[in-house]
Amino acid sequence: MLCPDGGGLTAEERARREQVRLAAADLIEAGAGDGEVARRFRVTRMSANRWRRALASGGRQALVSKGPGGARCKLDAGQLRALKAVLETGPPACGWSDQCWTLASEASFAALCGVSPVEKSSGKTQRRRLNRGGNRQANAALYRIVATRLRRDPRTRLYLERRTKQGMSKREIIRCLKRYVAREIYSQIQRTPALNASSAAA
């Protein structure tokens, strides 16, 4: 994937982010707390607090976009055009005809989706909590799959009942189910290159 402006956001995205920050500044100056700002703009309380501290120390200018992220590109225009042409041809042009999925294992894919278990044990109690890391869009997609299965799939409902009787909370059960779904998706992704190669050969 090619990154705009040497990495980070495009000019339009930076302008949109700046508008959000300045709108948050209006709310902060009106006396809103971090929680209210976070809910209003769908950001974390940490981000809201960072905006508050920046506003207090540097005024609104501290919330203005600093420009493109990343280091200054050292390639000239011709080199950038050549690089773009090579990247757009893709792996097959360099001999990588299968374009294999690059994650090493199902566990790596689970971590990418934010469904790998996180230890939360204490004393004699052995527990794992939901992982709040990883790609949140992928995590949300897995949650929607699990929610649908809990409503419509008899096997999933039986699993819910069995785990509930074992003393697990619904949140813990959903975490387990999301991991199972990630495992299924990963196995399908692994098969996809072989299917594409077979279709191309035919």
Side-chain angles (χ1 to χ4, degrees):
M1 181 183 294
L2 296 176
C3 296
D5 299 325
L9 304 177
T10 64
E12 293 77 11
E13 290 168 334
R14 289 196 301 273
R16 192 158 53 244
R17 181 179 62 180
E18 183 178 308
Q19 290 174 356
V20 170
R21 289 176 174 174
L22 295 177
D26 292 336
L27 206 57
I28 292 170
E29 290 173 342
D34 292 343
E36 183 178 349
V37 174
R39 286 191 298 274
R40 172 68 178 80
F41 296 99
R42 296 186 176 182
V43 297
T44 63
R45 291 174 67 97
M46 185 180 296
S47 293
N49 184 261
R50 186 165 59 246
W51 294 346
R52 178 185 300 280
R53 287 186 281 110
L55 183 64
S57 62
R60 288 175 171 263
Q61 189 61 32
L63 299 175
V64 173
S65 175
K66 302 299 188 296
R72 182 177 177 275
C73 182
K74 296 181 180 180
L75 302 179
D76 60 34
Q79 290 172 323
L80 285 173
R81 285 194 296 271
L83 175 61
K84 183 178 180 182
V86 171
L87 291 175
E88 287 178 346
T89 58
C94 299
W96 300 92
S97 59
D98 57 356
Q99 300 195 52
C100 273
W101 183 249
T102 55
L103 289 177
S105 66
E106 177 269 328
S108 300
F109 180 69
L112 176 67
C113 296
V115 294
S116 54
V118 176
E119 288 290 342
K120 196 183 179 183
S121 301
S122 176
K124 295 182 180 180
T125 304
Q126 299 294 320
R127 286 188 179 277
R128 292 182 174 89
R129 69 166 174 80
L130 290 168
N131 188 341
R132 295 180 177 84
N135 185 292
R136 304 320 298 166
Q137 290 180 320
N139 192 284
L142 293 178
Y143 177 83
R144 286 192 290 271
I145 293 171
V146 169
T148 302
R149 287 188 176 184
L150 284 171
R151 288 196 301 268
R152 300 179 181 276
D153 182 37
R155 295 176 305 163
T156 307
R157 296 182 66 84
L158 287 172
Y159 179 86
L160 174 65
E161 293 174 8
R162 178 166 59 85
R163 287 296 206 171
T164 301
K165 289 177 182 178
Q166 293 174 353
M168 292 181 68
S169 67
K170 189 170 184 179
R171 180 172 292 185
E172 290 172 323
I173 296 169
I174 288 174
R175 177 191 61 77
C176 293
L177 287 169
K178 288 200 296 187
R179 178 59 183 267
Y180 291 145
V181 172
R183 186 172 297 145
E184 291 178 17
I185 292 173
Y186 181 78
S187 66
Q188 292 298 320
I189 291 173
Q190 288 289 74
R191 296 191 192 107
T192 300
L195 291 173
N196 290 342
S198 299
S199 300

